[in-house]
Amino acid sequence: MEVANRSSVAEFVLLGLSDHPTLEKTFFVLILMTYLVILLGNGVLILVTILDSHLHTPMYFFLGNLSFLDICYTTSSIPLVLDGFLTPKKTISFSACAVQMFLSFAMGATECVLLGMMAFDRYVAICNPLRYPVVMSKAAYVPMAASSWAAGGANSLVQISLAVQLPFCGDNVINHFTCEILAVLKLACADISLNVISMGVANVIFLVVPVLFIFVSYIFILTTILRIPSAEGRKKAFSTCSAHLTVVLVFYGTILFMYGKPKSKDPLGADKQDLADKLISLFYGVLTPMLNPIIYSLRNKDVKVAMKSLLAQKCLVQ
């Protein structure tokens, strides 16, 4: 009721690709196939880490959390995107928009923290292997994962609470596929300085700090690996963290590409740039969740062995 009283906008219109109807069917098929791969790949990883007792370790516990997070993140937005491709004029209520923003923002922040936790796990495993069972006990890694989810949720609650308190009394067309928070803030008919400052602080906490933490962790990891006398030992040590490092590079590399690319100053190319920005944002939302299970299954011997074992057991049962 408070939100309704503060805003005269009862619903938003999601523009999506309505200006480019010829692209909608093509992208519907592409995004649908990608979403199915995400559900299947991450679902299989979760199943494997639960059913195989050899994978009941901190590393695979975090991996299971990451896979579940990727499913939640894409499910919070992709069905809405797919529906928009099939609906001539896609509308979403103010409250549903707020919920969608909250879920997407929470999952994104949680993933940043979780990747940092996974880096710490690899640091302890390689740099302090004798202390690993004590430092990364169940009493430690379960609260670490839980705190990642709690931090992401708390940050999202703050950002969305500030956003929904703004008055929206004019244009209600969101030039995006979903209720992307920056696109929504542009529609507010009030000063959004507090929102911008709050999001800037959140970006430092949830993007910059985890990146620095991961970077420092891998400096120690690489230093330790290079001290290993045998080439086989170095290869084995690096293989235990190569999948995580690859995921980190893909995740943050895509973010840097999205927000670090130069903006066109040509007004005639504004429409093309808007379309490109929306498509990049869309594929960013599905790229990492799709690649994560592929990376971990292809680059991780334990996961491949576990998958083969489960398939063999299923064949024997049948």
Side-chain angles (χ1 to χ4, degrees):
M1 289 298 295
E2 183 180 348
V3 172
N5 291 334
R6 297 183 68 91
S7 173
S8 60
V9 173
E11 62 181 19
F12 292 106
V13 177
L14 298 172
L15 194 59
L17 287 177
S18 57
D19 291 340
H20 305 83
T22 56
L23 296 177
E24 289 188 318
K25 292 183 179 179
T26 301
F27 279 100
F28 175 83
V29 174
L30 286 175
I31 299 303
L32 177 61
M33 295 301 294
T34 304
Y35 182 51
L36 293 176
V37 170
I38 290 169
L39 295 179
L40 179 62
N42 286 287
V44 168
L45 264 183
I46 293 172
L47 193 63
V48 168
T49 56
I50 291 174
L51 296 180
D52 194 302
S53 59
H54 297 96
L55 301 183
H56 292 176
T57 63
M59 175 181 173
Y60 296 107
F61 177 77
F62 287 130
L63 177 57
N65 273 262
L66 183 64
S67 294
F68 180 67
L69 185 149
D70 285 337
I71 290 175
C72 293
Y73 177 71
T74 51
T75 302
S76 70
S77 58
I78 297 304
L80 183 64
V81 173
L82 294 174
D83 184 43
F85 286 143
L86 300 177
T87 308
K89 184 180 180 181
K90 177 60 184 174
T91 60
I92 183 171
S93 68
F94 191 95
S95 57
C97 185
V99 171
Q100 193 265 312
M101 283 194 297
F102 171 81
L103 292 174
S104 296
F105 214 88
M107 297 303 108
T110 300
E111 182 157 0
C112 292
V113 180
L114 193 60
L115 289 173
M117 298 293 187
M118 295 173 77
F120 177 75
D121 172 71
R122 292 299 84 204
Y123 161 76
V124 178
I126 293 174
C127 299
N128 295 282
L130 297 179
R131 296 189 60 201
Y132 183 76
V134 177
V135 176
M136 295 303 297
S137 63
K138 189 173 183 179
Y141 68 76
V142 171
M144 287 170 65
S147 64
S148 300
W149 288 89
N155 174 58
S156 183
L157 184 62
V158 171
Q159 304 303 330
I160 305 309
S161 295
L162 291 174
V164 298
Q165 290 181 43
L166 293 170
F168 294 88
C169 48
D171 187 10
N172 70 332
V173 178
I174 299 175
N175 189 18
H176 213 278
F177 298 100
T178 63
C179 291
E180 202 273 333
I181 191 166
L182 294 178
V184 172
L185 290 178
K186 290 179 181 179
L187 304 180
C189 46
D191 183 19
I192 60 171
S193 300
L194 180 60
N195 302 76
V196 173
I197 293 172
S198 178
M199 290 186 67
V201 173
N203 286 338
V204 171
I205 295 173
F206 289 92
L207 285 175
V208 178
V209 172
V211 166
L212 290 176
F213 184 79
I214 292 169
F215 179 72
V216 172
S217 296
Y218 272 99
I219 287 179
F220 285 109
I221 288 171
L222 292 175
T223 302
T224 302
I225 290 175
L226 292 175
R227 290 175 182 170
I228 299 175
S230 67
E232 184 64 26
R234 289 194 297 270
K235 182 180 178 181
K236 184 177 180 181
F238 185 74
S239 67
T240 65
C241 58
S242 59
H244 173 259
L245 183 59
T246 304
V247 167
V248 168
L249 292 175
V250 170
F251 181 75
Y252 286 105
T254 311
I255 291 177
L256 288 175
F257 175 77
M258 279 180 60
Y259 296 105
K261 62 186 180 65
K263 299 292 183 180
S264 173
K265 297 182 179 180
D266 181 10
L268 297 177
D271 290 340
K272 291 183 178 179
Q273 181 171 312
D274 284 343
L275 176 61
D277 288 344
K278 286 192 289 185
L279 292 178
I280 290 171
S281 176
L282 175 63
F283 280 100
Y284 159 73
V286 298
L287 179 65
T288 305
M290 181 184 69
L291 290 180
N292 283 353
I294 296 174
I295 292 170
Y296 273 101
S297 60
L298 292 179
R299 300 184 64 88
N300 193 295
K301 185 183 294 184
D302 292 337
V303 173
K304 287 190 286 187
V305 170
M307 287 183 175
K308 290 178 181 178
S309 175
L310 290 177
L311 287 174
Q313 290 177 16
K314 184 178 180 181
C315 291
L316 289 175
V317 171
Q318 291 179 347

